[in-house]
Amino acid sequence: SGLTGNGGITTQLHGSGTTNPKNWFAKAMKFMEERARMPMVLTYRAVGSGTGQQEFVGNAASSGKSYNDFGAGDIPMSKAYYDQLMAATPAQAMLHLPFALGAIGIFHNVPSGDLGGAALQLDACTLAKIFSGVITTWNDPAIKTQNPNIKVPANQIIMVGHRTLGSSSTGGLAGYLDKKCKPSWDKGSGGLVVWPTTAAFTAVEGSPGMQTYIKDTMYSIGYLDAGHGHDFNILEVALTNLNGKTRNSKQSIALGGVAEAGNKGIAAGVFPSDASADWSAVDLYDMAGDTTWPIVLVSYMYVKKDQTATDPQTAAALKAFIHTILQNYDNLCQENDFTPPSMDLKNLALAAADTIKYPSGMMSFEFETDTAAYTGMGANTISMKRWSFDDYERSILKAQIVDLSAKVDMGVMHPPLAAPAAAPAAAESSGGDASLVVGIIAIIVSVVSIGVSTFALLKARGSTKGESNASATMIGAGQA
């Protein structure tokens, strides 16, 4: 209403693609919704890079129109899909906007005791044979040669987890094995692999599915973006890079190895200077350098270059979201265990974003970072000064949970020295204290969940106003 109204119309933006940055995107979208003066609904479906590409390109049912306003993937658009876009009438020029780098790690559930306390080491050819179903047991000579202290049950089957749909994580693994050990890997370098169908191979959906599979399945192995594996403290395979240095991804990341792989790629001219060109051959597998991690993926936003037919408010939201991600507002890149691109790669993405053609008369969003009287209350202003109490409250609760968890850990790891060895009452008291703390944590988590659900319900009810003006299911030919 007044100087700040937009007629009650809800601005919508919808994307789909890789699961890896789902938490980053979700938080960025939530911040935009909360900080905007006008009502906004922004969503992102974490369905995998392959599905994201399919929905970005469209199909016969959509007359070649995109199902999403933008796509995202940790692999470049495939050459087949790129050629399909360019063969359309008119040609649907698209842009690759790189916004982060990430490591793909190989994670496992072989008990540490079976490894003699050492890290599990596997070279590329051994991994190729495991994921091809050629090496099937953990006591295979190829594994024992690299891990002399390994002592597993005789003929212990290797349980292999793999993604069920096309995914960038699969593409990262396949691309690395194809580059390093082609004689032992005949399954190509793409995100869709024809896996063995034996009982030892299990298809899982999404990164959360892979997390759960490895964590819950003894003697299993699988692949994940490193952040998802580290979040659950899953054991990781140590890989050897091109310079002969062996370490896991967490160690490499701490040494700047993911960023270094990106720098080596820039220096080697891996990235085309034209963001609208065919990027299907771009990869950062096994780059030179002492600290580099050998399986590094680049995360991209896929955006149609011509947005002139897009609803002006959706186009403005798209432009603002691109800006939010590329400029890494709130440091969400690092918060979600991604590595920011180098300045050269970031500048390439920003320059490409500037070439997008938006609808005439579109009112772009402005970002208020420092107090700007009057303009900060504009309808198309996303203000860092606009706060949500539920975020504040969650931050307090999160700090309390971390503190309580630390106390529980100390109680388990450092029992009272003065307690006698045979003191059942004391032991019961100690266990009761720990149980009480755990119970408190559970209550706090429940309260947080109820608060989030209530906020989402209220937000959904509020967004129904103007729903009749929402965009159609299929996005116009000029839309992302």
Side-chain angles (χ1 to χ4, degrees), residues 154-414:
N155 299 317
Q156 177 63 56
I157 298 296
I158 301 174
M159 307 303 294
V160 181
H162 64 84
R163 294 284 290 273
T164 182
L165 301 173
S167 80
S168 53
S169 300
T170 300
L173 173 71
Y176 168 67
L177 298 179
D178 187 69
K179 186 172 186 175
K180 289 290 289 183
C181 199
K182 196 179 287 286
S184 299
W185 181 257
D186 61 358
K187 299 184 179 301
S189 59
L192 277 172
V193 168
V194 178
W195 299 99
T197 56
T198 66
F201 279 72
T202 300
V204 299
E205 188 167 326
S207 297
M210 185 67 80
Q211 282 175 318
T212 301
Y213 177 79
I214 300 173
K215 183 167 59 73
D216 294 347
T217 307
M218 293 293 293
Y219 297 102
S220 61
I221 191 169
Y223 51 94
L224 269 169
D225 61 288
H228 279 101
H230 300 160
D231 286 346
F232 280 73
N233 295 315
I234 305 175
L235 295 174
E236 187 176 3
V237 176
L239 303 181
T240 301
N241 68 12
L242 187 61
N243 283 32
K245 305 298 182 182
T246 302
R247 57 178 66 92
N248 62 36
S249 67
K250 195 167 191 176
Q251 295 166 333
S252 179
I253 290 170
L255 295 171
V258 172
E260 181 61 14
N263 292 336
K264 295 292 186 182
I266 288 285
V270 168
F271 299 96
S273 58
D274 181 1
S276 64
D278 177 6
W279 282 42
S280 60
V282 173
D283 72 67
L284 294 177
Y285 305 137
D286 207 35
M287 304 300 293
D290 282 350
T291 66
T292 58
W293 181 247
I295 314 178
V296 172
L297 300 184
V298 183
S299 296
Y300 306 95
M301 292 182 70
Y302 311 134
V303 182
K304 296 283 181 66
K305 190 172 183 178
D306 184 0
Q307 297 288 331
T308 54
T310 304
D311 173 81
Q313 287 184 231
T314 294
L318 174 63
K319 183 178 180 180
F321 184 69
I322 291 172
H323 184 79
T324 297
I325 297 302
L326 295 187
Q327 293 290 4
N328 190 24
Y329 277 169
D330 300 289
N331 292 316
L332 296 182
C333 179
Q334 296 90 328
E335 180 181 312
N336 288 278
D337 294 322
F338 285 91
T339 298
S342 68
M343 188 55 67
D344 286 341
L345 193 55
K346 177 180 178 179
N347 287 338
L348 187 154
L350 290 171
D354 286 342
T355 68
I356 298 173
K357 299 177 181 178
Y358 290 104
S360 60
M362 180 191 80
M363 184 180 295
S364 298
F365 282 92
E366 301 293 335
F367 288 81
E368 182 191 27
T369 54
D370 297 317
T371 301
Y374 311 125
T375 58
M377 285 298 292
N380 278 55
T381 297
I382 295 174
S383 175
M384 305 294 189
K385 303 298 180 180
R386 187 171 282 116
W387 290 87
S388 171
F389 182 74
D390 66 308
D391 283 329
Y392 164 75
E393 196 167 39
R394 271 196 295 268
S395 69
I396 298 298
L397 292 173
K398 183 178 180 181
Q400 291 174 341
I401 291 173
V402 170
D403 182 57
L404 288 170
S405 298
K407 290 178 180 177
V408 170
D409 290 340
M410 289 183 67
V412 173
M413 297 171 63
H414 306 288

Side-chain angles (χ1 to χ4, degrees), residues 23-35:
N23 295 329
W24 177 359
F25 281 13
K27 193 166 185 178
M29 288 177 164
K30 180 176 179 294
F31 279 165
M32 283 181 60
E33 290 174 347
E34 292 175 346
R35 294 169 177 175

Side-chain angles (χ1 to χ4, degrees), residues 412-463:
V412 173
M413 297 171 63
H414 306 288
L417 297 177
E428 183 178 345
S429 174
S430 175
D433 290 343
S435 298
L436 177 61
V437 173
V438 171
I440 292 172
I441 293 174
I443 292 171
I444 291 174
V445 171
S446 298
V447 171
V448 172
S449 299
I450 292 171
V452 171
S453 299
T454 302
F455 175 80
L457 178 61
L458 293 174
K459 192 77 174 177
R461 287 178 176 175
S463 67

